[in-house]
Amino acid sequence: MAHLKLWKEKWEKSDEPNFHRLHVFPSLVKFKDRFLPRDERLAVLVPLCGKSLDMKFILDAGYPVIGVESNEKALWLFGKENNIDLEAEEVEDFGIVLRSNNNKVQLYCGDLLTFSPRFLDQGTKIGAVFDKGSLVAIEPEMRDQYFEIIGQFCTNEDCTYLVALYDHDLESFPPHLIPVEYMCGKVAEHNFKMLDVDLGENFGGGLPLKNPARTKASRFIESGYLFSKSKSP
């Protein structure tokens, strides 16, 4: 799992790595009513979830959260910082899962690119996928794998998918730059169509990053793209 080394090192160095946001993704708030499933029994899948506050937002809205993350430390921190008691159990052929007492939170620790619906509890269904920083973090050559995995979970006919894409002039990556046209083409292979877009503001030099070399961006725009399998808006 060499592709996970960078993120492991970042979490080992800090409980607050520079990619962790201290607020909920604005597009998640804006699109809440159209993004979250109509049926509150359906779970929201959050790939490469870290200890994202977005998961708490989704949980507080009444939905089960299925997170996937390679770093166990981040998952325990999510529970601790949000006063959620978690217990660990092994998941054969994958890693471990940390569960809340009411099973509303299930955080799987392992390699996202090997994750599969067979690891979920029997009867668990995904109604939405929220990707704040997963697709833009993985290397380009792994994107086909990513989309295949997301497609495996999005079998519900009304499944929605909210993803963050970026436009920036940082000196290094990630987040990787992903053309919207490419994005639309890949999700169309799994019967998704774009519903709406939330074009973000330009953070410019005000990036909350600790690495000085990465604060030289004059352009850093974070936007949310909402897709759905449903024919209705």
Side-chain angles (χ1 to χ4, degrees):
M1 297 193 295
H3 59 285
L4 303 176
K5 182 179 178 181
L6 171 65
W7 310 108
K8 180 180 180 181
E9 291 175 349
K10 286 182 177 291
W11 280 111
E12 286 177 348
K13 292 178 180 178
S14 174
D15 289 355
E16 301 285 346
N18 59 13
F19 53 81
H20 174 70
R21 291 299 180 85
L22 301 177
H23 57 77
V24 175
F25 183 41
S27 299
L28 175 58
V29 178
K30 180 175 181 177
F31 293 144
K32 173 186 173 183
D33 293 338
R34 286 190 290 169
F35 167 67
L36 292 174
R38 297 173 183 175
D39 185 345
E40 291 188 359
R41 293 172 297 180
L42 297 176
V44 178
L45 176 66
V46 186
L48 299 191
C49 61
K51 61 171 189 174
S52 169
L53 293 177
D54 303 306
M55 292 193 292
K56 185 62 164 57
F57 179 86
I58 294 168
L59 188 64
D60 288 345
Y63 296 85
V65 171
I66 308 292
V68 186
E69 169 60 46
S70 63
N71 192 282
E72 185 177 345
K73 174 186 175 181
L75 301 180
W76 287 113
L77 284 172
F78 174 80
K80 178 181 179 181
E81 294 174 3
N82 293 286
N83 297 313
I84 299 173
D85 292 329
L86 300 172
E87 293 188 5
E89 63 181 63
E90 290 188 13
V91 179
E92 188 175 357
D93 297 328
F94 184 72
I96 64 170
V97 59
L98 308 187
R99 301 179 185 274
S100 62
N101 295 333
N102 60 6
N103 219 29
K104 282 274 193 175
V105 177
Q106 299 176 39
L107 306 179
Y108 288 79
C109 184
D111 185 354
L112 171 66
L113 299 181
T114 66
F115 199 49
S116 165
R118 69 187 178 92
F119 298 133
L120 300 180
D121 293 344
Q122 187 175 3
T124 297
K125 294 184 179 181
I126 302 297
V129 177
F130 174 71
D131 185 344
K132 167 62 179 63
S134 176
L135 177 61
V136 297
I138 63 177
E139 295 303 315
E141 62 269 21
M142 298 177 178
R143 288 176 189 162
D144 284 346
Q145 258 184 291
Y146 164 91
F147 284 112
E148 285 301 318
I149 289 169
I150 296 302
Q152 291 176 23
F153 287 93
C154 296
T155 57
N156 186 61
E157 63 180 7
D158 290 328
C159 193
T160 54
Y161 174 53
L162 178 58
V163 61
L165 297 181
Y166 296 84
D167 177 20
H168 66 74
D169 56 1
L170 289 171
E171 296 178 353
S172 60
F173 302 96
H176 293 283
L177 301 176
I178 299 177
V180 176
E181 295 78 8
Y182 168 86
M183 184 74 208
C184 291
K186 295 304 293 185
V187 298
E189 295 175 6
H190 300 282
N191 301 316
F192 281 98
K193 293 183 178 180
M194 187 188 295
L195 283 185
D196 211 339
V197 57
D198 179 30
L199 296 177
E201 297 180 5
N202 186 2
F203 287 93
L207 287 174
L209 302 177
K210 297 178 181 178
N211 184 344
R214 290 174 59 82
T215 61
K216 296 179 181 179
S218 61
R219 185 180 75 256
F220 190 92
I221 301 172
E222 176 186 72
S223 301
Y225 292 81
L226 179 63
F227 297 88
S228 176
K229 285 190 170 184
S230 175
K231 294 181 181 179
S232 59

